[in-house]
Amino acid sequence: MAIELLITTAGLDALVDAQAGETDAIRVIEVGLTANAFTMAPTITVLPGELKRIDAVSGQAVSETIIHMTALDSSNDVYDLRGIGLYLDDGTLFAVYAQPDPIFRKVSIASFLLALDVAFANGAAADIIFGESAFLFPPATETVKGVAEIATGTEVAAGTDDSRVVTPLKLKQRLDTLLDPLGISLDAINAALLAFGARTIVGEGLATGGGDLSGNRVITVAGASTAEAAAGSSVDKAVTPASLIGALSQWGGWNATIPLFKIPGTPIIVQLGYYRAIHTAEVVVPITFADAFPNSCLFVAPIPYISAADNLRDMFVQMRDRSSTGFQAYIQAPDAVDNRIDGFDWLAIGV
């Protein structure tokens, strides 16, 4: 039951003193009862028409501004209750409440349990204590264990009430209502989540790793080493640029000025080179391979080189006497006016 208590002038003075630290927290020890309907006023010092007092009073602050209190009358008395008053341990009437209609009608075979939630505009709750705590039934909050009311389906759907609790049944009914327009059910979502959690992601081929979806997974592709790339036998590792160049180096080796490499999977070896010198007359230039071909040279292609474009009649290059160790380059002039060449490049293929 929630009622609006009026704090008396004397009660307010005691509360202000407690809040200012001049006194200890005020202590409510009794609840006065009256069958009279009276006009509440802050100047009241005694409950009008008081018929009895109850000293079985419990109370607890459930937040900074709200106190929950209870009072129990287990006597055989019979009365109609229209007004109450809270008394402090020094006899001060702290607060009162009254209404024309009976708040409660007690009969001889029934006990009277008064439960109140008293709200204050500021943090006064901490400065009020009670004389008994054996039968306190405070409302449940996020920090206080207590009595809670179950929310109706309408209250759950509204989503504005923060004082009632939602049961599993009401929650499922609300979720089903929200999901129904989508054509799915909560059970279907639960089954889908279970199925999703059972799925796995694993590598295949060059990719390895993975696992179920219960955590983060890593898929990796192992890179071949230079030796593995050169051997050419691994089927579960990837060739990287570094291992490729390293393998080519192992297959044929490199020379600072004359690159040489072996074509993978074949006996073919390729060598490249160049010759630089200005010639203005026909001449024979011997070229020796940096590394002799193991068996023979199959092909040589010399390509004339000019250092700059000009109006000179350029000479050309011919090849003869090809062997596994080198060849002869013949610089030729078609006629007397062809009189300039700056060198040549060449490409040789052998086994």
Side-chain angles (χ1 to χ4, degrees):
M1 177 181 180
I3 63 175
E4 295 182 2
L5 287 170
L6 174 67
I7 299 178
T8 65
T9 301
L12 182 60
D13 290 341
L15 180 60
V16 170
D17 289 343
Q19 289 180 316
E22 297 178 7
T23 62
D24 294 334
I26 61 175
R27 187 181 187 87
V28 177
I29 63 169
E30 293 180 313
V31 176
L33 308 180
T34 180
N36 295 348
F38 61 90
T39 300
M40 294 185 294
T43 55
I44 296 176
T45 58
V46 177
L47 186 66
E50 182 176 315
L51 58 92
K52 69 180 305 182
R53 292 190 186 183
I54 302 174
D55 58 5
V57 182
S58 294
Q60 178 180 339
V62 295
S63 74
E64 291 184 353
T65 59
I66 296 177
I67 286 178
H68 178 78
M69 63 161 288
T70 58
L72 178 65
D73 181 5
S74 57
S75 70
N76 295 327
D77 295 343
V78 178
Y79 53 83
D80 288 341
L81 178 68
R82 291 184 176 83
I84 62 173
L86 305 185
Y87 287 93
L88 304 181
D89 54 358
D90 63 356
T92 300
L93 180 60
F94 174 65
V96 295
Y97 173 78
Q99 66 180 46
D101 297 326
I103 302 172
F104 181 81
R105 180 164 291 162
K106 186 179 181 307
V107 296
S108 60
I109 61 174
S111 295
F112 166 50
L113 177 63
L114 175 68
L116 302 176
D117 289 329
V118 184
F120 296 90
N122 52 32
D127 297 305
I128 302 174
I129 58 177
F130 293 80
E132 181 69 50
S133 60
F135 56 92
L136 182 65
F137 302 101
T141 68
E142 293 178 356
T143 57
V144 176
K145 295 180 180 179
V147 179
E149 180 182 353
I150 296 176
T152 65
T154 301
E155 291 167 340
V156 175
T160 58
D161 193 327
D162 195 35
S163 61
R164 293 171 173 82
V165 297
V166 179
T167 63
L169 175 62
K170 295 284 189 358
L171 177 61
K172 184 177 185 302
Q173 290 173 342
R174 180 56 183 162
L175 292 176
D176 287 342
T177 300
L178 295 174
L179 294 173
D180 185 62
L182 303 177
I184 55 177
S185 67
L186 193 60
D187 291 337
I189 292 178
N190 185 56
L193 290 175
L194 290 175
F196 181 77
R199 292 182 178 273
T200 59
I201 297 177
V202 296
E204 185 176 0
L206 296 179
T208 61
D212 60 35
L213 302 183
S214 61
N216 297 327
R217 304 300 178 191
V218 177
I219 303 295
T220 59
V221 176
S225 66
T226 294
E228 291 169 333
S233 59
S234 176
V235 296
D236 59 356
K237 295 186 178 180
V239 175
T240 64
S243 62
L244 174 61
I245 295 299
L248 292 176
S249 298
Q250 285 193 13
W251 285 327
W254 295 98
N255 183 282
T257 57
I258 304 178
L260 176 149
F261 62 90
K262 181 180 179 181
I263 297 178
T266 75
I268 298 175
I269 299 173
V270 178
Q271 294 194 55
L272 305 173
Y274 64 90
Y275 169 80
R276 294 290 182 268
I278 297 174
H279 292 282
T280 58
E282 293 182 342
V283 66
V284 178
V285 178
I287 297 296
T288 300
F289 298 138
D291 291 314
F293 291 105
N295 297 300
S296 63
C297 178
L298 305 177
F299 173 82
V300 173
I303 304 170
Y305 169 79
I306 56 173
S307 60
D310 52 36
N311 294 324
L312 295 175
R313 298 289 299 275
D314 297 321
M315 304 171 75
F316 65 94
V317 182
Q318 293 180 314
M319 182 277 302
R320 61 173 296 175
D321 300 328
R322 179 184 65 230
S323 70
S324 62
T325 59
F327 66 93
Q328 300 289 334
Y330 286 75
I331 297 176
Q332 302 290 309
D335 54 47
V337 295
D338 295 332
N339 59 4
R340 174 71 182 240
I341 190 171
D342 299 312
F344 55 88
D345 294 343
W346 55 266
L347 180 149
I349 300 176
V351 293

